[in-house]
C-alpha cells in the first residue's frame, strides 16, 4: 500500500524528453576535446576532472548519499539536521521546528555522489495541513559526477521561499519530501513537520 503523499511525489515530465544514453565517468572523461570549449565547460559543470575519486565502500551501492539538510534564514543560525546521526530522519517528523510567519528562508542540502554520474537530481516536496495539500514544490538540483579529493562534498541551496502569514496560516504542517533522479530512482524519502508561529521560538 502506498504511503501518504506517494501519489503527489511524482516529478514532472517534459513531453518528448528522453533520458540520454548512460556513460561511465571514464567514458565522459574520454570526451576531451581541446578545441571544444562548450564540451569542456559541460564536463566541468558535472564535476568531471583529473582529481582522484574518493574511495567508496563496495558494499555501499548508493549513488547519492544525502549528508545533511538545513533551513537557512537571514540573520539567524542555520537549523541543520545531520543525517549521519542515527534516528535523525525519525526526529524530523516527531520534533517539528518553528518558522516565523512571513519569514524568508531557503533549504540547503549537502550530499555525496559515488560510483557513477548522477543525472537530473530533483527535490520534491508536498506540504499538507489537516490532511489537505497546500503546496507542492519541485526543484531541479542538477547532474553530478562522483565526488573527488578536490571536491569531497556537494552543497546545493534551494530557491528562497516565504512562510505564509496571518492568523489562519499559523499552525501545524506535515510534509513529505524525496530526492529522485532522471531514472525515477529515489535516493532519500522522509516525512517531517513544522509549525508556522507568530514569532521564532
Amino acid at each position: 500500500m502506498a504511503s501518504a503523499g506517494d501519489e503527489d511525489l511524482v516529478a514532472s515530465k517534459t513531453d518528448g524528453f528522453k533520458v540520454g544514453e548512460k556513460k561511465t565517468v571514464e567514458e565522459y572523461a574520454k570526451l576531451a576535446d581541446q578545441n571544444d570549449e562548450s564540451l569542456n565547460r559541460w564536463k566541468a559543470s558535472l564535476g568531471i576532472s583529473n582529481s582522484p575519486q574518493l574511495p567508496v565502500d563496495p558494499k555501499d551501492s548508493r549513488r547519492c548519499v544525502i549528508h545533511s539538510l538545513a533551513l537557512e534564514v537571514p540573520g539567524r543560525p542555520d537549523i541543520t539536521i545531520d543525517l549521519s546521526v542515527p534516528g535523525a530522519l525519525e526526529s524530523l517528523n516527531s520534533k517539528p521546528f518553528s518558522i516565523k510567519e512571513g519569514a524568508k528562508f531557503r533549504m540547503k542540502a549537502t550530499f555525496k555522489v559515488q560510483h557513477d554520474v548522477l543525472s537530473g537530481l530533483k527535490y520534491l516536496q508536498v506540504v499538507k495541513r489537516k490532511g489537505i495539500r497546500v503546496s507542492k514544490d519541485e526543484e531541479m538540483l542538477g547532474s553530478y559526477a562522483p565526488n573527488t579529493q578536490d571536491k569531497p562534498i556537494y552543497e546545493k541551496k534551494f530557491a528562497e521561499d516565504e512562510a505564509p502569514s496571518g492568523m489562519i496560516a499559523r499552525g501545524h504542517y506535515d510534509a513529505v519530501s524525496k530526492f529522485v533522479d532522471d531514472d525515477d530512482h529515489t535516493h532519500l524519502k522522509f516525512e517531517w513537520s513544522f509549525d508556522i508561529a507568530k514569532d521564532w521560538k
Side-chain angles (χ1 to χ4, degrees), residues 69-73 77-80 97 99 105-108:
L69 296 168
L71 184 74
E72 197 176 68
V73 179
D78 291 354
I79 300 171
T80 302
F97 55 87
I99 302 175
F105 65 93
R106 72 170 76 236
M107 297 283 287
K108 179 170 65 177

Side-chain angles (χ1 to χ4, degrees), residues 65-70 80-84 108-111 153 179:
V65 182
I66 312 297
H67 282 274
S68 70
L69 296 168
T80 302
I81 307 297
D82 182 352
L83 297 181
S84 66
K108 179 170 65 177
T110 62
F111 57 95
I153 202 85
F179 290 85

Side-chain angles (χ1 to χ4, degrees), residues 66-188:
I66 312 297
H67 282 274
S68 70
L69 296 168
L71 184 74
E72 197 176 68
V73 179
R76 294 184 60 83
D78 291 354
I79 300 171
T80 302
I81 307 297
D82 182 352
L83 297 181
S84 66
V85 176
L89 281 180
E90 291 75 13
S91 70
L92 279 174
N93 198 30
S94 61
K95 298 176 182 176
F97 55 87
S98 294
I99 302 175
K100 180 182 178 182
E101 61 178 351
K104 292 186 177 180
F105 65 93
R106 72 170 76 236
M107 297 283 287
K108 179 170 65 177
T110 62
F111 57 95
K112 180 177 72 174
V113 175
Q114 55 191 21
H115 299 299
D116 218 336
V117 172
L118 180 64
S119 178
L121 183 64
K122 303 178 190 73
Y123 174 78
L124 307 177
Q125 173 181 291
V126 170
V127 176
K128 293 184 177 183
R129 187 176 187 197
K130 297 179 181 177
I132 299 171
R133 190 177 86 179
V134 294
S135 71
K136 177 181 178 180
D137 296 296
E138 177 176 335
E139 180 124 7
M140 171 58 80
L141 305 183
S143 299
Y144 301 87
N147 287 92
T148 64
Q149 291 179 12
D150 288 346
K151 185 76 174 176
I153 202 85
Y154 290 115
E155 179 183 276
K156 182 67 177 181
K157 293 186 178 185
F158 299 4
E160 189 177 66
D161 204 349
E162 184 173 335
S165 58
M167 189 170 63
I168 294 176
R170 292 177 212 144
H172 186 76
Y173 293 78
D174 295 300
V176 183
S177 301
K178 73 176 180 179
F179 290 85
V180 63
D181 63 24
D182 275 346
D183 294 322
D184 289 326
H185 180 80
T186 298
H187 297 281
L188 179 69

Side-chain angles (χ1 to χ4, degrees), residues 32-80:
D33 187 339
Q34 298 297 330
N35 299 318
D36 191 337
E37 280 189 35
S38 62
L39 174 61
N40 292 330
R41 278 198 305 270
W42 176 75
K43 285 169 54 183
S45 73
L46 283 180
I48 296 174
S49 70
N50 294 324
S51 177
Q53 289 186 30
L54 294 176
V56 177
D57 181 353
K59 295 178 182 177
D60 186 355
S61 61
R62 295 175 297 173
R63 226 175 347 142
C64 180
V65 182
I66 312 297
H67 282 274
S68 70
L69 296 168
L71 184 74
E72 197 176 68
V73 179
R76 294 184 60 83
D78 291 354
I79 300 171
T80 302

